[in-house]
Amino acid sequence: MDKKTDRELYITFDEFMSFIKAAYNWRVKYGLLFDIIGHGGLRVSEALGIKVKHCDFRNNSINIKTLKTKGNPIIEVKYPKRVIEILVRYIHACELEPNAKLFDFTRQWAWQIMKRISTQVPELTKRHSPHALRHMHDIVIAEVTHNDHITMISKHLRHKTVNLDLITRYTHMTDTMQEKIISEIEKKK
């Protein structure tokens, strides 16, 4: 099996939004799962572990139990208001109790669903895994913070240390970043 190219490891934010639209068209629970993963930079297992009682609707956040952090494994992740509003409607429509998990399927099923939905999105030329959404989240942080983000990525993605592995795994040179670099170079002329 060939190693994935750098570009196959992530999707852009615009591709993400096209994918999310397609996912919601399939089923609200699929759209919501991938919205939560992408906007929160979550691992699939973290998203599948979310219970209703972990949701803080007043603060537009979800308390995520991370499997990779010792000590305090609960972190608060903020979400766009749109995602929280969909989450509230989903919980009410499904009549979920506080101890109920939001999603009732396995990690493998989430990967299969993402690959199936990806085939319906013309912008996505490859079938990406849910982990590509985690990389997309990092790219958004990089673009918003003008690449002054390595420590922020480490904390937000729940990595204990900043190291070369983290930098090479989660940083990608997008077209937008390249355009910004060229723009800055041209300003210096």
Side-chain angles (χ1 to χ4, degrees), residues 12-24:
T12 67
F13 187 75
D14 290 339
E15 291 167 341
F16 169 68
M17 293 309 292
S18 295
F19 170 77
I20 288 299
K21 183 178 178 183
Y24 276 113

Side-chain angles (χ1 to χ4, degrees), residues 1 24 27-28 30 50 73 86 157 178:
M1 188 166 147
Y24 276 113
R27 289 187 74 181
V28 171
Y30 299 157
I50 298 170
I86 295 168
L157 297 181
Q178 290 179 41

